[in-house]
mmCIF file of all heavy atoms in Angstrom:
data_model
loop_
_atom_site.group_PDB
_atom_site.id
_atom_site.type_symbol
_atom_site.label_atom_id
_atom_site.label_comp_id
_atom_site.label_asym_id
_atom_site.label_seq_id
_atom_site.Cartn_x
_atom_site.Cartn_y
_atom_site.Cartn_z
ATOM 1 N N GLY C 467 6.322 16.324 21.333
ATOM 2 C CA GLY C 467 6.797 17.673 21.566
ATOM 3 C C GLY C 467 8.276 17.869 21.376
ATOM 4 O O GLY C 467 8.689 18.844 20.785
ATOM 5 N N LEU C 468 9.075 16.948 21.874
ATOM 6 C CA LEU C 468 10.505 17.178 21.774
ATOM 7 C C LEU C 468 10.947 16.927 20.348
ATOM 8 O O LEU C 468 10.811 15.840 19.831
ATOM 9 C CB LEU C 468 11.249 16.217 22.709
ATOM 10 C CG LEU C 468 12.763 16.361 22.654
ATOM 11 C CD1 LEU C 468 13.136 17.732 23.134
ATOM 12 C CD2 LEU C 468 13.399 15.307 23.519
ATOM 13 N N GLY C 469 11.469 17.956 19.734
ATOM 14 C CA GLY C 469 11.954 17.737 18.383
ATOM 15 C C GLY C 469 10.961 18.099 17.311
ATOM 16 O O GLY C 469 11.279 18.068 16.143
ATOM 17 N N LEU C 470 9.730 18.461 17.693
ATOM 18 C CA LEU C 470 8.753 18.819 16.671
ATOM 19 C C LEU C 470 9.192 20.058 15.931
ATOM 20 O O LEU C 470 9.119 20.140 14.726
ATOM 21 C CB LEU C 470 7.389 19.085 17.305
ATOM 22 C CG LEU C 470 6.460 17.878 17.435
ATOM 23 C CD1 LEU C 470 5.157 18.345 18.032
ATOM 24 C CD2 LEU C 470 6.224 17.272 16.086
ATOM 25 N N LYS C 471 9.674 21.020 16.719
ATOM 26 C CA LYS C 471 10.051 22.266 16.062
ATOM 27 C C LYS C 471 11.266 22.093 15.195
ATOM 28 O O LYS C 471 11.426 22.760 14.197
ATOM 29 C CB LYS C 471 10.327 23.338 17.126
ATOM 30 C CG LYS C 471 9.091 24.095 17.519
ATOM 31 C CD LYS C 471 9.452 25.347 18.259
ATOM 32 C CE LYS C 471 10.100 25.001 19.585
ATOM 33 N NZ LYS C 471 10.059 26.139 20.499
ATOM 34 N N GLU C 472 12.147 21.222 15.637
ATOM 35 C CA GLU C 472 13.377 21.072 14.859
ATOM 36 C C GLU C 472 13.204 20.170 13.678
ATOM 37 O O GLU C 472 14.161 19.899 12.976
ATOM 38 C CB GLU C 472 14.491 20.514 15.754
ATOM 39 C CG GLU C 472 14.985 21.483 16.778
ATOM 40 C CD GLU C 472 14.112 21.477 18.006
ATOM 41 O OE1 GLU C 472 13.159 20.690 18.030
ATOM 42 O OE2 GLU C 472 14.386 22.224 18.936
ATOM 43 N N GLY C 473 12.019 19.682 13.490
ATOM 44 C CA GLY C 473 11.798 18.905 12.285
ATOM 45 C C GLY C 473 12.178 17.452 12.403
ATOM 46 O O GLY C 473 12.525 16.825 11.419
ATOM 47 N N ASP C 474 12.088 16.897 13.603
ATOM 48 C CA ASP C 474 12.413 15.487 13.741
ATOM 49 C C ASP C 474 11.457 14.623 12.951
ATOM 50 O O ASP C 474 11.785 13.509 12.563
ATOM 51 C CB ASP C 474 12.305 15.071 15.214
ATOM 52 C CG ASP C 474 13.627 15.270 15.931
ATOM 53 O OD1 ASP C 474 14.524 15.892 15.317
ATOM 54 O OD2 ASP C 474 13.770 14.815 17.055
ATOM 55 N N LEU C 475 10.236 15.152 12.738
ATOM 56 C CA LEU C 475 9.254 14.348 12.033
ATOM 57 C C LEU C 475 9.712 13.999 10.629
ATOM 58 O O LEU C 475 9.221 13.077 10.026
ATOM 59 C CB LEU C 475 7.925 15.096 11.948
ATOM 60 C CG LEU C 475 7.042 15.062 13.181
ATOM 61 C CD1 LEU C 475 5.765 15.791 12.881
ATOM 62 C CD2 LEU C 475 6.726 13.635 13.536
ATOM 63 N N LYS C 476 10.646 14.783 10.118
ATOM 64 C CA LYS C 476 11.055 14.548 8.741
ATOM 65 C C LYS C 476 11.697 13.194 8.555
ATOM 66 O O LYS C 476 11.765 12.687 7.452
ATOM 67 C CB LYS C 476 12.056 15.629 8.295
ATOM 68 C CG LYS C 476 11.394 16.930 7.923
ATOM 69 C CD LYS C 476 12.349 17.812 7.177
ATOM 70 C CE LYS C 476 13.311 18.420 8.148
ATOM 71 N NZ LYS C 476 13.939 19.620 7.618
ATOM 72 N N ASP C 477 12.165 12.643 9.640
ATOM 73 C CA ASP C 477 12.781 11.341 9.453
ATOM 74 C C ASP C 477 12.062 10.250 10.205
ATOM 75 O O ASP C 477 12.500 9.120 10.229
ATOM 76 C CB ASP C 477 14.245 11.389 9.900
ATOM 77 C CG ASP C 477 15.064 10.288 9.273
ATOM 78 O OD1 ASP C 477 14.583 9.681 8.311
ATOM 79 O OD2 ASP C 477 16.155 10.018 9.776
ATOM 80 N N THR C 478 10.977 10.574 10.890
ATOM 81 C CA THR C 478 10.286 9.516 11.607
ATOM 82 C C THR C 478 8.930 9.236 10.997
ATOM 83 O O THR C 478 8.636 8.126 10.617
ATOM 84 C CB THR C 478 10.083 9.890 13.081
ATOM 85 O OG1 THR C 478 9.553 11.209 13.124
ATOM 86 C CG2 THR C 478 11.379 9.843 13.826
ATOM 87 N N LEU C 479 8.120 10.278 10.861
ATOM 88 C CA LEU C 479 6.796 10.032 10.315
ATOM 89 C C LEU C 479 6.885 9.800 8.809
ATOM 90 O O LEU C 479 6.216 8.949 8.247
ATOM 91 C CB LEU C 479 5.898 11.242 10.608
ATOM 92 C CG LEU C 479 4.474 11.103 10.131
ATOM 93 C CD1 LEU C 479 3.839 9.949 10.825
ATOM 94 C CD2 LEU C 479 3.714 12.356 10.413
ATOM 95 N N VAL C 480 7.697 10.591 8.186
ATOM 96 C CA VAL C 480 7.869 10.426 6.740
ATOM 97 C C VAL C 480 9.349 10.246 6.501
ATOM 98 O O VAL C 480 10.142 10.324 7.417
ATOM 99 C CB VAL C 480 7.374 11.667 5.966
ATOM 100 C CG1 VAL C 480 5.914 11.862 6.157
ATOM 101 C CG2 VAL C 480 8.145 12.883 6.392
ATOM 102 N N LYS C 481 9.713 9.999 5.261
ATOM 103 C CA LYS C 481 11.132 9.895 4.971
ATOM 104 C C LYS C 481 11.427 10.988 3.970
ATOM 105 O O LYS C 481 11.108 10.845 2.790
ATOM 106 C CB LYS C 481 11.433 8.508 4.401
ATOM 107 C CG LYS C 481 12.774 8.365 3.769
ATOM 108 C CD LYS C 481 13.847 8.273 4.829
ATOM 109 C CE LYS C 481 15.201 8.085 4.186
ATOM 110 N NZ LYS C 481 15.646 9.271 3.470
ATOM 111 N N ALA C 482 11.981 12.076 4.476
ATOM 112 C CA ALA C 482 12.258 13.179 3.569
ATOM 113 C C ALA C 482 13.484 12.845 2.744
ATOM 114 O O ALA C 482 14.331 12.058 3.159
ATOM 115 C CB ALA C 482 12.499 14.449 4.390
ATOM 116 N N PRO C 483 13.589 13.452 1.572
ATOM 117 C CA PRO C 483 14.785 13.195 0.764
ATOM 118 C C PRO C 483 16.011 13.634 1.531
ATOM 119 O O PRO C 483 15.956 14.535 2.345
ATOM 120 C CB PRO C 483 14.590 14.065 -0.477
ATOM 121 C CG PRO C 483 13.221 14.548 -0.435
ATOM 122 C CD PRO C 483 12.651 14.341 0.912
ATOM 123 N N ILE C 484 17.112 13.029 1.221
ATOM 124 C CA ILE C 484 18.285 13.225 2.069
ATOM 125 C C ILE C 484 18.751 14.673 2.044
ATOM 126 O O ILE C 484 19.352 15.161 2.991
ATOM 127 C CB ILE C 484 19.373 12.235 1.635
ATOM 128 C CG1 ILE C 484 20.360 12.017 2.770
ATOM 129 C CG2 ILE C 484 20.091 12.705 0.403
ATOM 130 C CD1 ILE C 484 21.252 10.841 2.535
ATOM 131 N N GLN C 485 18.403 15.395 0.972
ATOM 132 C CA GLN C 485 18.821 16.791 0.925
ATOM 133 C C GLN C 485 18.121 17.637 1.968
ATOM 134 O O GLN C 485 18.589 18.696 2.317
ATOM 135 C CB GLN C 485 18.518 17.396 -0.453
ATOM 136 C CG GLN C 485 19.434 16.983 -1.550
ATOM 137 C CD GLN C 485 19.026 15.663 -2.153
ATOM 138 O OE1 GLN C 485 18.239 14.939 -1.565
ATOM 139 N NE2 GLN C 485 19.567 15.372 -3.315
ATOM 140 N N LYS C 486 16.951 17.154 2.436
ATOM 141 C CA LYS C 486 16.227 17.964 3.402
ATOM 142 C C LYS C 486 16.664 17.664 4.829
ATOM 143 O O LYS C 486 16.275 18.348 5.747
ATOM 144 C CB LYS C 486 14.729 17.656 3.312
ATOM 145 C CG LYS C 486 14.126 18.003 2.005
ATOM 146 C CD LYS C 486 13.681 19.429 1.992
ATOM 147 C CE LYS C 486 12.938 19.658 0.709
ATOM 148 N NZ LYS C 486 13.312 20.828 0.026
ATOM 149 N N LEU C 487 17.410 16.610 4.985
ATOM 150 C CA LEU C 487 17.757 16.232 6.354
ATOM 151 C C LEU C 487 19.060 16.877 6.740
ATOM 152 O O LEU C 487 20.056 16.225 6.995
ATOM 153 C CB LEU C 487 17.862 14.715 6.457
ATOM 154 C CG LEU C 487 16.572 13.973 6.161
ATOM 155 C CD1 LEU C 487 16.833 12.493 6.107
ATOM 156 C CD2 LEU C 487 15.548 14.266 7.216
ATOM 157 N N LYS C 488 19.036 18.226 6.783
ATOM 158 C CA LYS C 488 20.305 18.906 6.995
ATOM 159 C C LYS C 488 20.701 18.922 8.457
ATOM 160 O O LYS C 488 21.858 19.003 8.788
ATOM 161 C CB LYS C 488 20.186 20.354 6.518
ATOM 162 C CG LYS C 488 20.027 20.474 5.043
ATOM 163 C CD LYS C 488 20.701 21.733 4.533
ATOM 164 C CE LYS C 488 20.720 21.727 3.027
ATOM 165 N NZ LYS C 488 19.686 22.466 2.399
ATOM 166 N N ARG C 489 19.694 18.845 9.326
ATOM 167 C CA ARG C 489 20.037 18.902 10.737
ATOM 168 C C ARG C 489 19.893 17.536 11.340
ATOM 169 O O ARG C 489 19.067 16.739 10.931
ATOM 170 C CB ARG C 489 19.101 19.858 11.459
ATOM 171 C CG ARG C 489 19.134 21.228 10.876
ATOM 172 C CD ARG C 489 18.236 22.121 11.653
ATOM 173 N NE ARG C 489 18.733 22.262 13.015
ATOM 174 C CZ ARG C 489 18.116 22.973 13.920
ATOM 175 N NH1 ARG C 489 16.998 23.567 13.619
ATOM 176 N NH2 ARG C 489 18.584 23.072 15.129
#
Side-chain angles (χ1 to χ4, degrees):
Chain C
L468 179 64
L470 270 182
K471 272 195 294 199
E472 290 84 2
D474 271 10
L475 280 183
K476 281 194 284 201
D477 202 15
T478 48
L479 182 62
V480 296
K481 166 76 178 69
I484 202 167
Q485 285 84 344
K486 297 273 187 227
L487 298 172
K488 292 213 171 98
R489 303 182 64 181

